[in-house]
Amino acid sequence: MRNNILAILLGITILAGLLVYFIPQTGTIILLSISGLLSLIAIYDSLQTKHSLLRAFPLVARLRWFFEEERDKIQQYFIEDNLNGTPINREKRSIVYQRSKLEKETIPFGTQHNVYKKGYEFVKHSLFPTAHHDITGDKITFGSDKCTQKYKSSIINISAMSFGSLSKNAIMALNQGAKMGDFAHNTGEGGISPYHLQGGDLIFQVGTGYFGAGKSINGKRVFDDEIFKKNAIRPEVKMIEIKFSQGAKPGHGGILPAKKNTQEIAEIRSVTPGTQVDSPPGHSAFSNYEELIQFLQKVRELANGKPVGIKLCVGNNEEIAEMITAFATHNNYPDFISVDGGEGGTGSAPLEFTNYIGTPLIEGLVFINKQLKKHNLKDQIKIIASGKAVDAFDVVKYLALGADAVGMARSFMLSLGCIQARECNLDTCPVGVATQDEDLVKALVVEKKNVRVKNYHSKTVVAIKEIIAALGLHSISELAPSHIFRRRKEEEVVSLEEVYYK
């Protein structure tokens, strides 16, 4: 095949040369130039020794790389239907875009879901629905009896995404949108950048790398009281979140690819620019439950009594049960627990960690809720659920299963214009959301996108209230697992109360 390809290209080049000789016009010269260049590339491909496919199929094999590079886009635009796309299907992506832009969000001609398929979920409405304008419960107060600066938050907030993972324009648009919509913005573990300080409420996340809360000593990241306090007492910071693990890579630690580690980001994190930054898998500030409780109390005091919580993807159930038992035994506990789902999120991660490590959100959420109720701590410790919530039904389901609030990451990225190109770890995000490439970042116009962030949030809250009203309830807080139903078999429908709590 190699000889045939070379013969064809060389033959075309010779013919083009003859045309130029007899008809020396611009068109024939261009044809000769193109055919000559392609022939040279083919000859190079046939002689190189790095790629066997190119040696066998010079020039032609390059098409494989092109289609492989564009595979996700081709799949998304031409092959997938409204429901089979992953990780977020077209139907859910569309509702985010529509709500963000205040476009028509109704659909015609009935559902495309197979309502008789195993796993289909729904709610049963009331004959006597209430008025959705009168529904309450869209705000939740964080702060246990150990906390002196309680915080009243929306039931939907922006989940953890660091500056570095996201661009400065994306961070600014998210924070400004949070300010407009009166909801909170989690900083992610990368520390507080100038772009977070746009007036929106912040949840300051402290990860195992202690970025913005610590320093390096002999190559080891350690917590530092003064560095942490300087950020924690900022008026924009409303809560502190100590991150154990995240759903994308539980037990691994965060990853900032070298391409995205610019000079500015390196200075904020106190690391070397242009290098991959791997957060340690565990904390150096504590190593057991008693030390954890002492650390949480110290952090709370350094933050002048602001709510302090922990974030984790549920792993070993026995360890989690022991931890919550220790909270009850010592009568000291976090103000909230953020439960991340093992199904992954926005962060780049090794394939095995994304696919096979960590408890999926629903099972993790239910387990944490049961443990808190068992020790009579549910009134003190709020639960934030984070795991691919996009539309109002997702939020309603998580709230019904025990969450007090829901953190969203990928859905807010979509509100910024994310097209799910899945290039977040390559620094090539085409819409300027998850990249540090200045030319790409400029594509994201903060003054346009911040409004879309606010619109998506407010419209989703309204949709939640409409579902609550359809159930005949008066407050979002009245939701229970018995309100959500699942088809367990073709002929059997059960409530989530029966599935998870009996």
Side-chain angles (χ1 to χ4, degrees):
M1 181 58 72
R2 176 175 59 182
N3 293 336
N4 290 339
I5 293 172
L6 291 173
I8 291 170
L9 288 171
L10 290 172
I12 293 173
T13 301
I14 292 169
L15 288 173
L18 292 172
L19 280 173
V20 169
Y21 181 79
F22 290 107
I23 312 174
Q25 296 179 354
T26 302
T28 55
I29 293 172
I30 292 173
L31 177 62
L32 175 62
S33 300
I34 293 172
S35 61
L37 177 62
L38 293 178
S39 296
L40 289 173
I41 294 172
I43 292 170
Y44 169 78
D45 289 347
S46 67
L47 296 175
Q48 56 82 39
T49 57
K50 187 177 180 181
H51 301 287
S52 57
L53 192 63
L54 273 180
R55 283 177 63 82
F57 300 90
L59 188 65
V60 176
R62 291 178 180 269
L63 290 173
R64 175 183 180 272
W65 293 344
F66 170 78
F67 287 118
E68 194 172 64
E69 182 76 20
E70 301 302 319
R71 182 176 181 273
D72 284 341
K73 300 181 185 69
I74 294 169
Q75 175 81 18
Q76 183 182 138
Y77 297 144
F78 302 110
I79 299 174
E80 72 178 46
D81 62 27
N82 283 345
L83 302 180
N84 69 358
T86 58
I88 298 175
N89 65 39
R90 181 178 293 276
E91 183 179 75
K92 285 186 178 288
R93 296 198 305 271
S94 295
I95 196 66
V96 178
Y97 300 145
Q98 290 158 359
R99 286 179 175 157
S100 301
K101 300 174 186 177
L102 299 181
E103 295 177 347
K104 185 182 291 294
E105 56 183 86
T106 53
I107 58 173
F109 223 65
T111 181
Q112 295 185 55
H113 293 256
N114 181 354
V115 299
Y116 298 102
K117 183 180 178 182
K118 179 181 176 181
Y120 175 72
E121 294 176 333
F122 61 100
V123 298
K124 294 185 178 181
H125 62 284
S126 170
L127 287 175
F128 306 100
T130 53
H132 80 271
H133 299 288
D134 299 327
I135 297 298
T136 60
D138 57 320
K139 295 286 186 178
I140 185 75
T141 300
F142 287 87
S144 67
D145 57 7
K146 312 299 178 187
C147 169
T148 58
Q149 288 196 52
K150 292 179 170 54
Y151 173 57
K152 194 170 187 179
S153 162
S154 170
I155 56 169
I156 297 176
N157 298 297
I158 301 171
S159 196
M161 294 180 285
S162 302
F163 172 53
S165 175
L166 299 193
S167 70
K168 62 183 181 182
N169 285 16
I171 294 293
M172 285 193 287
L174 289 172
N175 195 261
Q176 291 176 17
K179 180 183 179 181
M180 293 175 184
D182 192 25
F183 55 100
H185 176 197
N186 192 309
T187 65
E189 70 169 308
I192 300 175
S193 72
Y195 313 111
H196 286 101
L197 303 175
Q198 306 293 309
D201 291 350
L202 291 178
I203 301 172
F204 175 29
Q205 186 183 88
V206 177
T208 56
Y210 303 122
F211 306 121
K215 57 189 177 183
S216 296
I217 298 180
N218 297 325
K220 182 180 180 181
R221 296 293 299 178
V222 297
F223 184 83
D224 182 276
D225 291 11
E226 292 305 315
I227 295 174
F228 167 76
K229 184 173 183 177
K230 182 180 177 181
N231 281 315
I233 63 174
R234 291 177 184 271
E236 299 90 348
V237 172
K238 304 301 181 182
M239 301 202 296
I240 316 297
E241 182 178 82
I242 309 301
K243 187 181 89 166
F244 275 78
S245 58
Q246 65 188 90
K249 42 190 173 291
H252 186 282
I255 300 173
L256 177 66
K259 276 189 174 182
K260 300 174 80 170
N261 183 15
T262 64
Q263 182 69 40
E264 181 181 31
I265 292 164
E267 289 176 2
I268 292 171
R269 299 194 182 200
S270 298
V271 296
T272 304
T275 61
Q276 178 166 305
V277 180
D278 295 326
S279 299
H283 281 268
S284 61
F286 52 86
S287 58
N288 55 53
Y289 306 124
E290 288 72 21
E291 290 178 359
L292 166 62
I293 293 169
Q294 292 170 11
F295 181 73
L296 292 174
Q297 185 58 36
K298 179 174 80 168
V299 165
R300 189 183 282 124
E301 292 169 359
L302 289 171
N304 293 338
K306 293 178 181 179
V308 175
I310 60 175
K311 175 183 179 177
L312 51 81
C313 174
V314 172
N316 186 315
N317 284 14
E318 292 181 3
E319 289 182 344
I320 304 292
E322 287 178 27
M323 179 180 69
I324 294 175
T325 299
F327 292 156
T329 302
H330 289 78
N331 190 32
N332 203 345
Y333 27 75
D335 300 286
F336 64 93
I337 297 177
S338 294
V339 184
D340 214 2
E343 50 267 48
T346 60
S348 66
L351 179 141
E352 293 86 354
F353 279 77
T354 293
N355 289 344
Y356 308 113
I357 298 182
T359 305
L361 175 62
I362 290 178
E363 285 76 13
L365 167 61
V366 169
F367 179 74
I368 293 287
N369 192 39
K370 285 180 177 179
Q371 289 297 313
L372 293 180
K373 286 184 174 180
K374 176 182 176 181
H375 293 283
N376 298 314
L377 290 175
K378 189 64 170 71
D379 291 338
Q380 300 291 341
I381 303 175
K382 298 293 188 288
I383 300 176
I384 302 174
S386 177
K388 210 164 70 170
V390 177
D391 60 23
F393 180 76
D394 295 332
V395 177
V396 165
K397 180 169 70 174
Y398 296 160
L399 296 178
L401 286 170
D404 298 287
V406 174
M408 296 180 173
R410 282 172 284 190
S411 50
F412 275 109
M413 288 175 68
L414 291 169
S415 75
L416 290 173
C418 167
I419 60 171
Q420 196 170 272
R422 300 183 67 204
E423 298 177 9
C424 311
N425 60 327
L426 302 177
D427 201 37
T428 55
C429 173
V431 292
V433 175
T435 178
Q436 301 306 317
D437 184 303
E438 284 295 335
D439 289 335
L440 295 173
V441 171
K442 289 176 184 176
L444 197 159
V445 180
V446 176
E447 293 75 17
K448 299 289 185 182
K449 301 301 184 180
N450 54 13
V451 178
R452 294 187 182 182
V453 170
K454 177 257 182 186
N455 290 343
Y456 167 60
H457 177 273
S458 59
K459 294 283 283 183
T460 303
V461 170
V462 169
I464 292 167
K465 290 184 175 182
E466 289 177 335
I467 294 176
I468 302 303
L471 290 169
L473 305 178
H474 295 87
S475 173
I476 297 171
S477 62
E478 296 177 52
L479 274 170
S482 56
H483 289 119
I484 315 293
F485 292 83
R486 177 183 297 167
R487 186 172 293 283
R488 189 150 62 184
K489 300 177 183 177
E490 281 192 12
E491 69 285 354
E492 181 184 14
V493 171
V494 295
S495 74
L496 297 193
E497 176 80 29
E498 296 177 68
V499 175
Y500 295 109
Y501 286 97
K502 285 189 178 179

